[in-house]
Amino acid sequence: MNIIMEFRDLKKQYQILKTELDSVMQEVAASGGYIMGNAVAELEQQLSDYVGVKYCMTCANGTDALTLALKTLGIGKGDAVFVPDFTFFSSAEVVALEGATPVFVDVNPSTFNIDLNSLKAAIEQVCNDSKLRAKAVIAVDLFGLPADYPQITAIARQHGLFIIEDGAQGFGGRIGDRKSCSFGDISTTSFFPAKPLGCYGDGGAVFTNNEEWAETIRSLRVHGKGHNKYDNIRIGLNSRLDTIQAAILQVKLNTFKEHEFDAVNHVAAQYTRLINNALGDAITTPNIPEGHMSSWAQYTLQLTDASQRSELQSHMKEAGIPTMVYYPTPMSMQTAFKGLHIFVDTPNARQLSQCVLSLPMHPYLTDKDIQMIVDALVANIKTGK
Ligand SMILES: *Cc1c(COP(=O)(O)O)cnc(C)c1O
């Protein structure tokens, strides 16, 4: 049988926003201001207002956003940066690219985010018996849920660590009335098409309340420019957001604020209610801690093991429903990190990589779609009962 729905339906979103999107894309094309046109500064203002942070600097992608953060904080050779073992590759890749050392930390299986006890243990290990300087923690808002920043901040302050929030999947998420991308000393996000707020290509942004760092990031993203464009005062990157992507994001940010964030939360609530009613303890639905809100970059279930998962995944595919495994391999087991010193064991990351399965998730899933997905799940899961 053919796949009858998209895992994340970007074409449906385009159909709904087509008139507005086509018009702003044509405006940029006609304006000639393809690089650093007006839409870029306008978008940066709208993003910083929404997130509640003083400065927003857009850039070419979410990976560069992390690199800009690390360079700004002066992180490099001899520095240890604590990174969750269960995340997208970028979160750790950027650390190694700057010549610093990623120290992998286990995650909490109930939130998928960095585990506080494992973080404390890893910091202690690095401080007591290594030649590395403990410098920063990159906390990731995995699948849209902000990490436990009140606690992470307390731990980081105690050890003089910078906090970088990797909000690539977290944009729109909240703790109380504070939003994702406001929790780090420097926070970052990605506008890759499938992220909660996506453009039509690559894009990213960096957020901070620190004026000096904001100035450094603006310089670094344009080859380390000084006040005079041809006087380069540091080694930087070519990492600007295209004007056309900024114009697209202005339209999409409005819909995100007015409709999409609520819509994905409705989808998630429906999934959780229907799945828990039908399957109870036989499957683990996502847990959102009190006072937190997720932007649902993914809706991720935990199954018993890898064989139950692969069997279910192929039955779902036969029923026309796409599912994905984010992520099948912990960072510490990636080929590129072979030989890297392991400071703390990460059993939860290993276990999750074997049992997680993400269902279709986007703001334009209908109640009928959701019911069909849950019916297929219930019909095909082998619970051993
Ligand atoms: C997508 C992602 C990134 C990288 O963003 P790009 O725009 O693809 O470079 C970084 N961290 C996490 C957690 C991500 O999901």
Side-chain angles (χ1 to χ4, degrees), residues 61-64 66 87-88 90-91 140 142 166 168-169 190-192 195 202-203 327:
N61 56 69
T63 308
D64 279 5
L66 287 166
T87 179
F88 182 64
S90 284
S91 314
V140 179
L142 205 72
D166 179 352
Q169 301 182 13
S190 163
F191 303 125
F192 182 81
K195 306 283 172 163
D202 280 307
Y327 295 94

Side-chain angles (χ1 to χ4, degrees), residues 125-145:
Q125 291 275 326
V126 167
C127 292
N128 292 343
D129 42 63
S130 88
K131 296 199 166 59
L132 299 171
R133 288 177 302 266
K135 208 57 187 283
V137 50
I138 297 182
V140 179
D141 303 339
L142 205 72
F143 304 150
L145 178 70

Side-chain angles (χ1 to χ4, degrees), residues 82-262:
F82 302 90
V83 184
D85 200 27
F86 190 66
T87 179
F88 182 64
F89 192 62
S90 284
S91 314
E93 174 185 36
V94 292
V95 176
L97 202 58
E98 292 309 297
T101 302
V103 174
F104 298 118
V105 176
D106 209 2
V107 294
N108 182 326
S110 97
T111 61
F112 304 109
N113 284 331
I114 200 162
D115 180 77
L116 302 169
N117 289 326
S118 183
L119 175 61
K120 285 185 214 161
I123 295 170
E124 215 162 280
Q125 291 275 326
V126 167
C127 292
N128 292 343
D129 42 63
S130 88
K131 296 199 166 59
L132 299 171
R133 288 177 302 266
K135 208 57 187 283
V137 50
I138 297 182
V140 179
D141 303 339
L142 205 72
F143 304 150
L145 178 70
D148 186 353
Y149 290 101
Q151 297 297 325
I152 293 166
T153 306
I155 296 166
R157 293 296 172 253
Q158 204 181 339
H159 296 276
L161 306 181
F162 292 119
I163 301 166
I164 298 171
E165 176 185 3
D166 179 352
Q169 301 182 13
F171 190 83
R174 340 205 146 146
I175 304 177
D177 54 11
R178 281 189 64 184
K179 291 208 183 73
S180 173
C181 298
S182 75
F183 297 110
D185 294 306
I186 301 182
S187 302
T188 65
T189 197
S190 163
F191 303 125
F192 182 81
K195 306 283 172 163
L197 177 64
C199 58
Y200 286 165
D202 280 307
V206 190
F207 298 84
T208 185
N209 282 316
N210 184 307
E211 189 179 358
E212 201 178 308
W213 291 342
E215 212 35 62
T216 304
I217 291 160
R218 285 192 198 101
S219 159
L220 282 168
R221 74 174 168 183
V222 190
H223 309 287
K225 73 178 167 88
H227 288 296
N228 173 340
K229 186 168 158 186
Y230 294 102
D231 178 26
N232 296 75
I233 56 176
R234 48 174 76 83
I235 302 298
L237 288 76
N238 175 8
S239 187
R240 290 165 298 221
L241 181 72
D242 292 339
T243 309
I244 199 162
Q245 301 299 350
I248 290 162
L249 283 164
Q250 285 186 286
V251 174
K252 290 225 211 174
L253 177 61
N254 276 335
T255 320
F256 181 86
K257 287 194 286 195
E258 280 161 23
H259 170 64
E260 291 184 348
F261 180 77
D262 294 335

Side-chain angles (χ1 to χ4, degrees), residues 255-275:
T255 320
F256 181 86
K257 287 194 286 195
E258 280 161 23
H259 170 64
E260 291 184 348
F261 180 77
D262 294 335
V264 287
N265 274 283
H266 171 78
V267 173
Q270 291 286 85
Y271 268 149
T272 297
R273 187 175 58 79
L274 294 171
I275 295 169

Side-chain angles (χ1 to χ4, degrees), residues 2 30-31 39 42 64 157 186 209 227 246 266 294 323 350 373:
N2 291 327
S31 77
E42 287 167 15
D64 279 5
R157 293 296 172 253
I186 301 182
N209 282 316
H227 288 296
H266 171 78
S294 176
T323 58
R350 281 199 302 277
I373 294 163

